[in-house]
Amino acid sequence: MNNLFYLLHGTIFRTKEDLNDLIEINEVFSDESLIVARRNAFRKYQSYVDVFMDGIGKKYNTYNDSVQKLQDFVNSYRVEHPLNNPDLGKIEVDFDKGLFIYLVIDPSDTYTTKEGDLIYNKKILIHFFNADFENYWKAALKGLQSEADFYLSNNIDVNKELETIAHANKNSIKIINTPINYQKLIDNGL
């Protein structure tokens, strides 16, 4: 279990004027203490967000505020249709744009793309910022629950960073804290 780590991965538009000018982020965070590696991944994530916010002349206030203000970094605002036929629906052209934090639970289970990128197959999404919050937040919440379960079942110290999220008609869940206020999302019925 000593070789587990956190992965900060992302593809971001450098400017909205040139959608081919991309920033690629792929950083690994490991430490003897997995919770320290996690904190380091979140710190680095936040430093990127702060730089992007500074680039548009704004200061970080909240996660929700920054996601709205940083849309130009993850959203090309292009709409494409299969076979150029609107009746066939839309193609999500920016699905790979954003900044994501994963817990990699099996670093040996990988493959390499044709472009030479190393992909980890067994990873848990725990945090993100992209143009499609509505379709990712539930997956990230489920990932946070899996991460907390992993920590607890393996007796890994979470250093008092565990929080409980209450569901109205379901059992409450435990997660390790995150900048997204999941309790508020659930309370608001999202």
Side-chain angles (χ1 to χ4, degrees):
M1 207 174 343
N2 292 340
N3 55 357
L4 301 180
F5 60 85
Y6 284 88
L7 175 66
L8 178 60
H9 180 76
T11 303
I12 308 286
F13 296 116
R14 192 176 303 271
T15 67
K16 65 181 178 180
E17 290 78 26
D18 184 358
L19 299 178
N20 294 316
D21 188 8
L22 301 172
I23 299 168
E24 297 287 340
I25 299 164
N26 198 31
E27 298 183 39
V28 169
F29 298 87
S30 60
D31 192 274
E32 279 185 31
S33 167
L34 195 56
I35 198 74
V36 169
R38 184 184 196 275
R39 280 189 216 121
N40 291 338
F42 271 92
R43 261 190 228 108
K44 187 63 173 198
Y45 165 94
Q46 188 61 48
S47 73
Y48 279 114
V49 170
D50 290 341
V51 166
F52 299 141
M53 291 293 286
D54 190 51
I56 61 170
K58 306 285 184 188
K59 295 287 183 205
Y60 181 86
N61 185 21
T62 66
Y63 171 84
N64 292 346
D65 180 60
S66 66
V67 167
Q68 290 174 350
K69 290 179 178 167
L70 296 176
Q71 282 299 297
D72 288 348
F73 290 96
V74 294
N75 193 342
S76 67
Y77 304 101
R78 293 180 298 165
V79 176
E80 293 184 16
H81 303 279
L83 305 171
N84 290 323
N85 183 345
D87 295 333
L88 297 176
K90 292 191 287 188
I91 296 174
E92 178 56 54
V93 295
D94 297 322
F95 72 92
D96 61 338
K97 304 305 183 282
L99 194 54
F100 307 88
I101 299 177
Y102 300 94
L103 168 61
V104 177
I105 57 174
D106 185 354
S108 65
D109 188 357
T110 64
Y111 73 92
T112 304
T113 66
K114 289 180 181 180
E115 295 81 17
D117 296 328
L118 184 64
I119 305 296
Y120 296 96
N121 291 316
K122 293 189 178 166
K123 61 185 182 264
I124 300 170
L125 174 66
I126 63 162
H127 193 63
F128 69 99
F129 122 68
N130 69 358
D132 194 11
F133 181 81
E134 294 297 317
N135 287 325
Y136 276 80
W137 79 265
K138 289 180 184 174
L141 179 59
K142 184 178 178 184
L144 284 164
Q145 183 179 6
S146 296
E147 175 196 36
D149 290 347
F150 180 82
Y151 271 73
L152 294 171
S153 67
N154 289 287
N155 295 317
I156 300 171
D157 183 20
V158 294
N159 200 21
K160 300 178 184 172
E161 296 180 36
L162 203 62
E163 63 181 88
T164 301
I165 306 293
H167 284 275
N169 298 321
K170 299 179 184 178
N171 293 333
S172 60
I173 61 170
K174 295 196 180 302
I175 65 170
I176 302 173
N177 63 18
T178 173
I180 299 174
N181 186 340
Y182 284 101
Q183 187 64 64
K184 184 175 180 181
L185 289 173
I186 290 168
D187 291 346
N188 290 335
L190 291 179

